[in-house]
Amino acid sequence: MAIFLNVPVRTGAPARLITIFYEGKEVRKEQLQISSRPDMWASIPLPDGEPDGYSFSLAGDGAEPLREKIALSSRRFGEEDLYREPLRPLNHFTPARGFMNDPNGLYFDGREYHMFFQLNPFGLGHGNTHWGHARRADLLRQRRHRPGERLRPRGRQHPARHPLLHRHRDAVPARLPEG
């Protein structure tokens, strides 16, 4: 069963460090702009385990009242509204949640187009940068993948060195249809 820690985030809210533990052992840390009036829900995927085994700490002044807004669940909060937002483009790739930046690494492997991009899955601006990956056969419908690894500081990791690209050494850069 998938388990998510759903955290209410808002652009401009103070950044707070949230540390997640499973049976007392640290499993993840994230710096998030947590707010009681969210712009969106950051749904942090957690390793499989019994929900009762998870706990978290929240650092920063005034953090205690925010603890009650954070929820462990088998679903991502706000999921029912995804891709139904009135301003979301219909024929342009957008991630399910968060801030997308710098699409790159578009290539065709003989069957599908792949696109890698920088993604903040936990906020609506720069920060918490991860690699995003989408695949599509027809350039209209795409399959999304969970956000990948976090980018290294100061841009030392280029998409050409991304581990998923090494599986497709014979891939060629995509040529988009003209017209």
Side-chain angles (χ1 to χ4, degrees), residues 131 149-163:
W131 281 120
E149 62 195 54
R150 189 182 289 264
L151 292 179
R152 296 181 186 157
R154 290 183 227 121
R156 288 180 290 187
Q157 185 180 29
H158 188 273
R161 294 185 202 97
H162 191 282

Side-chain angles (χ1 to χ4, degrees), residues 88-102:
R88 186 183 286 264
L90 297 178
N91 289 317
H92 183 281
F93 176 80
T94 57
R97 288 196 176 109
F99 176 75
M100 179 181 145
N101 187 37
D102 203 13

Side-chain angles (χ1 to χ4, degrees), residues 7-51:
V7 181
V9 296
R10 183 177 189 86
T11 302
R16 300 178 189 283
L17 180 66
I18 186 167
T19 307
I20 304 165
F21 303 91
Y22 184 69
E23 295 181 348
K25 186 176 180 180
E26 183 181 304
V27 294
R28 191 159 184 172
K29 278 185 178 181
E30 296 291 346
Q31 186 89 14
L32 303 176
Q33 294 176 309
I34 302 171
S35 172
S36 58
R37 296 184 344 260
D39 291 328
M40 65 174 266
W41 286 92
S43 298
I44 303 171
L46 301 175
D48 289 341
E50 292 300 315

Side-chain angles (χ1 to χ4, degrees), residues 14 24 36 41 43 48-49 51 68 70 72 97 101 110 112-113 115 121 143-144 162 164 170 172:
S36 58
W41 286 92
S43 298
D48 289 341
E68 66 188 42
I70 299 170
L72 195 64
R97 288 196 176 109
N101 187 37
E112 295 179 305
Y113 294 91
M115 181 178 68
R143 290 188 298 198
R144 289 166 178 78
H162 191 282
L164 292 172
D170 298 328
V172 295

Side-chain angles (χ1 to χ4, degrees), residues 71-123:
L72 195 64
S73 178
S74 60
R75 68 177 188 86
R76 296 172 188 259
F77 285 12
E79 180 168 79
E80 57 281 351
D81 296 326
L82 288 178
Y83 299 101
R84 292 187 179 97
E85 301 96 326
L87 299 177
R88 186 183 286 264
L90 297 178
N91 289 317
H92 183 281
F93 176 80
T94 57
R97 288 196 176 109
F99 176 75
M100 179 181 145
N101 187 37
D102 203 13
N104 49 58
L106 182 65
Y107 72 94
F108 184 71
D109 68 4
R111 291 187 354 250
E112 295 179 305
Y113 294 91
H114 294 258
M115 181 178 68
F116 292 88
F117 51 94
Q118 293 176 11
L119 172 69
N120 176 357
F122 309 131

